[in-house]
Amino acid sequence: MISQKMEEELNKQLNEELFSSYLYLSMRAYFEDKNLAGMAQWMKLQTEEENLHAMKFFDYIVRVGGRVKLEAIKKPKFTWKSPRAAFEDALKHEKYITGRINFLVDLAYKEKDHATATFLNWFVDEQVEEEDTVSKIVDSFKLIGNDPSGLFLLDRELSQRNTAGAGEPEN
Ligand code: OFO
């Protein structure tokens, strides 16, 4: 059984994960519009991965006898000034999510809710991976600068992603 405060915060995180999925879907639409098929494909899989994260929160809330409460999902940004700006936004968003996960872990320890702390551990690892992956892509954009052939090659590289990660962090 979880506290009412924890139930509220886990529901809030479920909404944040759905928003993450929605944000990356909007980025996918942006990349589709720019004919950057590899980046669009990367965002498609990222959208699916975030949905898996959301379902992990959904299932956990149910499993511990809580009540899932769905709220409206915030409208995501529609466009970006460049492909690099979109990935920089993705990194900023992942850092925000890391902060949210850390807040939840702190709350679990404060409440001596060890089951929720253990559940959240997976997300702690996952956020390390999420930030690392997106940060490497941002670094590639920095190396490319304004070189169109570099953008072409990066788009090609990102098209190689072929899994939503099944929601499992690699380590
Ligand atoms: Fe991007 O890890 Fe969930 O939100």
Side-chain angles (χ1 to χ4, degrees):
M1 198 60 199
I2 48 173
S3 71
Q4 199 182 335
K5 167 83 177 150
M6 184 59 85
E7 183 181 297
E8 272 166 27
E9 291 297 339
L10 292 174
N11 267 300
K12 186 169 175 211
Q13 192 59 30
L14 166 56
N15 185 275
E16 295 277 14
E17 300 294 340
L18 290 171
F19 173 74
S20 301
S21 182
Y22 215 32
L23 174 66
Y24 296 135
L25 186 61
S26 188
M27 288 183 182
R28 175 187 169 192
Y30 166 78
F31 288 124
E32 297 281 9
D33 187 55
K34 298 280 171 216
N35 292 317
L36 288 163
M39 295 183 192
Q41 162 72 4
W42 194 94
M43 285 297 170
K44 176 178 186 275
L45 293 170
Q46 191 63 17
T47 297
E48 289 171 12
E49 183 170 332
E50 296 299 353
N51 201 50
L52 290 171
H53 293 174
M55 292 311 112
K56 277 183 185 280
F57 277 97
F58 186 109
D59 291 341
Y60 182 74
I61 294 167
V62 171
R63 209 158 64 234
V64 292
R67 176 71 165 95
V68 168
K69 189 174 174 203
L70 298 177
E71 299 285 353
I73 303 167
K74 202 167 57 179
K75 184 176 170 178
K77 212 165 146 177
F78 171 68
T79 193
W80 287 266
K81 74 173 198 299
S82 64
R84 173 177 166 173
F87 274 95
E88 281 171 345
D89 250 15
L91 181 57
K92 197 168 136 203
H93 181 67
E94 288 305 329
K95 287 183 175 170
Y96 166 73
I97 293 294
T98 300
R100 278 285 311 161
I101 298 294
N102 289 342
F103 164 79
L104 289 169
V105 172
D106 287 347
L107 179 65
Y109 283 124
K110 194 172 141 215
E111 295 192 350
K112 298 189 180 359
D113 180 349
H114 295 276
T116 301
T118 300
F119 163 73
L120 289 168
N121 239 342
W122 184 91
F123 284 93
V124 171
D125 290 344
E126 173 68 5
Q127 281 314 115
V128 171
E129 191 187 316
E130 293 270 82
E131 282 194 33
D132 180 52
T133 305
V134 184
S135 165
K136 280 179 180 147
I137 298 172
V138 170
D139 286 346
S140 298
F141 273 108
K142 287 179 187 161
L143 283 172
I144 288 167
N146 292 323
D147 176 10
S149 55
L151 184 66
F152 175 80
L153 288 174
L154 181 59
D155 188 60
R156 213 180 242 173
E157 188 189 320
L158 294 182
S159 75
Q160 303 302 308
R161 179 177 179 180
N162 54 16
T163 169
E168 300 302 328
E170 290 165 15
N171 50 33

